[in-house]
Amino acid sequence: MRYKISLKEIIEIYEMELDDINNYYNKLTGKIVMLSKEDIELAESDKNIEEIDEWKQDIILEAKDFIENPCDYIKLPNRDEFDEYSTMEKFIKNCNNEEFLKLLNSDVQGESAFRQFKSSLYSCGLIDEWYKVRDNEFEKFIIEWCKDKSLDCI
């Protein structure tokens, strides 16, 4: 069975991704669920749901469902799964802006690669072009990920 998921929603979640939260697609409800390690631990505890802050109760109920029915959920990709470095290399390879290439001055490598790259983009007024390319590549990545998981992007 194929499931439908919002490409826009996945991209929005990716943009606000937090380190301690995992995002899951619930195949039964079609909703994306954000769960932290703390949410899972609370759901696994013996604490009565009424003892939990009201605003957090729905999250804990979702976490309990996730624990009891893990096959109903698909973990969404996280930030590390998208190879932004390769996208940066592609952008540089396809760039015809001499000023930008001169500023880069050498291969972009090491820990400061993105910092050097972005600094050069800002200096040459290419930052908007970079974000368009990066966003397009990320969208392709998500669409391919969805195909692999038998999800239809809408």
Side-chain angles (χ1 to χ4, degrees), residues 7-153:
L7 179 61
K8 181 182 177 194
E9 193 174 356
I10 294 175
I11 291 170
E12 286 172 359
I13 286 170
Y14 173 80
E15 289 172 352
M16 65 177 203
E17 182 178 295
L18 303 170
D19 290 336
D20 65 335
I21 292 182
N22 287 312
N23 301 294
Y24 301 91
Y25 173 75
N26 183 321
K27 296 185 283 187
L28 300 180
T29 65
K31 292 193 307 188
I32 294 176
V33 180
M34 300 167 75
L35 299 174
S36 69
K37 183 178 178 185
E38 178 187 324
D39 298 333
I40 301 291
E41 288 171 358
L42 202 50
E44 290 174 328
S45 75
D46 293 332
K47 195 167 191 175
N48 188 326
I49 194 77
E50 281 78 34
E51 296 174 32
I52 299 168
D53 290 335
E54 191 174 323
W55 66 270
K56 187 98 169 160
Q57 290 178 6
D58 287 341
I59 297 168
I60 301 309
L61 290 173
E62 193 72 61
K64 284 181 185 269
D65 186 64
F66 170 76
I67 293 164
E68 293 167 5
N69 305 294
C71 293
D72 292 343
Y73 293 83
I74 299 172
K75 185 179 181 300
L76 294 172
N78 63 32
R79 207 170 275 202
D80 298 337
E81 293 174 63
F82 172 59
D83 188 1
E84 195 167 343
Y85 191 85
S86 291
T87 302
M88 177 183 69
E89 289 179 319
K90 237 189 270 185
F91 183 89
I92 292 168
K93 184 179 175 187
N94 294 323
C95 184
N96 296 322
N97 185 304
E98 293 296 323
E99 180 185 0
F100 172 70
L101 296 172
K102 204 179 285 184
L103 276 173
L104 276 181
N105 185 348
S106 64
D107 288 342
V108 179
Q109 297 177 358
E111 288 183 30
S112 65
F114 276 109
R115 194 172 334 122
Q116 179 187 0
F117 175 69
K118 283 191 174 179
S119 175
S120 297
L121 288 168
Y122 277 110
S123 295
C124 297
L126 295 173
I127 195 71
D128 290 339
E129 188 176 330
W130 157 247
Y131 285 127
K132 284 179 193 170
V133 168
R134 187 203 61 188
D135 292 350
N136 186 47
E137 289 298 313
F138 180 69
E139 192 171 302
K140 288 179 192 175
F141 165 76
I142 291 298
I143 290 169
E144 193 57 40
W145 178 87
C146 286
K147 285 180 187 173
D148 290 346
K149 302 294 181 187
S150 298
L151 296 169
D152 290 328
C153 288

